[in-house]
Amino acid sequence: MGDLSLTGQTVGLLFLGLLLLTIAIIFAYRTYIKKQADSDLSAKYDDSNIKSYLKSRNKYPEADVMRKTGSIFGYGLATALALTLFAFSWTRYEKVVVIPDDALDFDEEIEQEPPRTAEPPPPPPPPPPPVIEEVPEEEIEEEDEPVFEDTEIEADDVVEELPVVEDAPPPPPPPPPVEEEIFKVVEQMPRFPGCEDSGGSDKEKEECAKQKMLQYIYKNLKYPAIARENGVEGMAVVQFVVEKDGSVAEAKIVRDPGAGTGASALKVVEAMNSMGSKWTPGKQRGRAVKVQYTLPVKFKLEG
């Protein structure tokens, strides 16, 4: 019995069978007791010796529900033992994750949008040179002779100090926001969580992370019902950015076979932020940077 293993569905069916059997036994025993009670037991026990024996009893033996106590108790023990055995034999099987062949292979032509970089804006154009126009002599007015005023100050004169009005210069405009560069290829590409403590080289960790990512994708991917009904197959491609803290951002669909497949793939990618563990961010020259990641997701109906 040590090798007995039962699925949850089998355990449920066995439990349902025991429940139905118990209900059937109760119903049959009630019918039997009722049938005995309805019979003419007084005529059966008309003998005077039997009557004196029955005086010490509350019921006729045939109508006594306690006469089968031992059998019912034994059935209860057997049922409890069976339920315990079923519970210990209940085995939960891991869901088989089917990963398509060459799951990460895709056409390079889908990468139409280059990653954004922090290129400085172009300088403003130089101002146009001043235009010098010649003024005709007849339009030149002779200047009046200057008038000189006496500016001498006597000792008794009162000089009032003019108020000084200082116009504060306007504050300089804020510098434009600098967008961090989003890399496409870096020295150490971002890795899906789960392999950082496995040891080995960066190359081995990268291969391990790819397998972990594929298992996560195809374990949580739901094939849309409308796509199944219409036989829609193909490859959806999702692009996203692995931030410097390992979170996933700016996820978008760049190839969609239709019938909800692209939205289903996008939903799985966006759910990566709810996994509890974040990606290991990509690194360039030893520092964490933003990296654009392109992920193909293949939809194929099982034959």
Side-chain angles (χ1 to χ4, degrees):
M1 299 296 289
D3 296 334
L4 181 62
S5 60
L6 303 173
T7 62
Q9 183 178 5
T10 305
V11 171
L13 291 175
L14 291 174
F15 177 78
L16 181 61
L18 281 177
L19 179 63
L20 294 177
L21 178 60
T22 304
I23 294 174
I25 291 175
I26 294 174
F27 182 78
Y29 192 59
R30 287 186 59 186
T31 304
Y32 170 77
I33 294 298
K34 188 175 184 303
K35 183 178 179 182
Q36 293 295 329
D38 292 341
S39 63
D40 190 6
L41 295 177
S42 59
K44 180 178 179 181
Y45 295 98
D46 193 25
D47 188 85
S48 59
N49 294 329
I50 298 178
K51 284 183 177 181
S52 61
Y53 165 73
L54 290 176
K55 287 181 180 180
S56 62
R57 299 177 59 89
N58 294 329
K59 297 180 180 180
Y60 293 106
E62 289 81 355
D64 187 6
V65 296
M66 302 300 293
R67 63 184 300 185
K68 300 293 185 181
T69 302
S71 300
I72 294 175
F73 183 72
Y75 175 75
L77 287 179
T79 302
L81 180 61
L83 290 176
T84 304
L85 179 63
F86 295 160
F88 278 104
S89 301
W90 182 8
T91 304
R92 299 187 65 179
Y93 296 94
E94 292 290 335
K95 180 181 177 182
V96 179
V97 181
V98 179
I99 300 177
D101 297 334
D102 302 327
L104 293 177
D105 292 345
F106 58 93
D107 301 331
E108 294 293 335
E109 62 182 15
I110 64 171
E111 300 185 26
Q112 299 175 355
E113 181 181 350
R116 292 181 290 126
T117 57
E119 297 180 357
V131 179
I132 301 176
E133 297 181 358
E134 183 179 359
V135 180
E137 293 184 359
E138 57 269 12
E139 295 184 5
I140 300 177
E141 298 180 357
E142 295 183 358
E143 296 183 357
D144 297 335
E145 295 182 358
V147 178
F148 297 96
E149 296 181 358
D150 186 8
T151 58
E152 293 183 0
I153 300 176
E154 301 294 336
D156 297 335
D157 293 342
V158 178
V159 179
E160 295 182 358
E161 183 179 1
L162 297 177
V164 179
V165 179
E166 296 182 358
D167 295 334
V178 178
E179 294 186 0
E180 294 189 41
E181 182 177 1
I182 300 178
F183 291 85
K184 189 174 177 182
V185 178
V186 291
E187 296 172 354
Q188 178 182 313
M189 294 296 290
R191 295 193 290 258
F192 192 81
C195 296
E196 295 307 307
D197 298 332
S198 61
S201 62
D202 287 342
K203 186 67 175 178
E204 293 173 343
K205 289 181 179 179
E206 185 175 350
E207 292 299 324
C208 173
K210 288 181 179 180
Q211 292 302 316
K212 292 281 188 182
M213 180 184 64
L214 291 176
Q215 291 177 5
Y216 166 81
I217 291 292
Y218 290 100
K219 181 179 180 180
N220 296 279
L221 184 66
K222 297 186 182 300
Y223 212 117
I226 187 172
R228 287 184 180 275
E229 295 172 359
N230 294 277
V232 176
E233 296 181 342
M235 181 177 63
V237 180
V238 179
Q239 276 186 353
F240 55 93
V241 175
V242 180
E243 298 281 353
K244 293 192 294 184
D245 62 351
S247 60
V248 173
E250 302 182 26
K252 61 181 179 180
I253 306 169
V254 296
R255 176 184 289 183
D256 189 357
T261 53
S264 181
L266 179 64
K267 184 177 180 180
V268 175
V269 171
E270 291 177 340
M272 290 180 180
N273 288 328
S274 304
M275 293 187 302
S277 300
K278 295 184 178 181
W279 284 62
T280 300
K283 292 184 178 181
Q284 181 73 6
R285 296 180 181 177
R287 64 183 184 92
V289 293
K290 295 183 178 182
V291 181
Q292 185 184 75
Y293 201 96
T294 303
L295 175 66
V297 181
K298 296 184 179 181
F299 290 84
K300 184 174 179 59
L301 295 171
E302 299 178 1

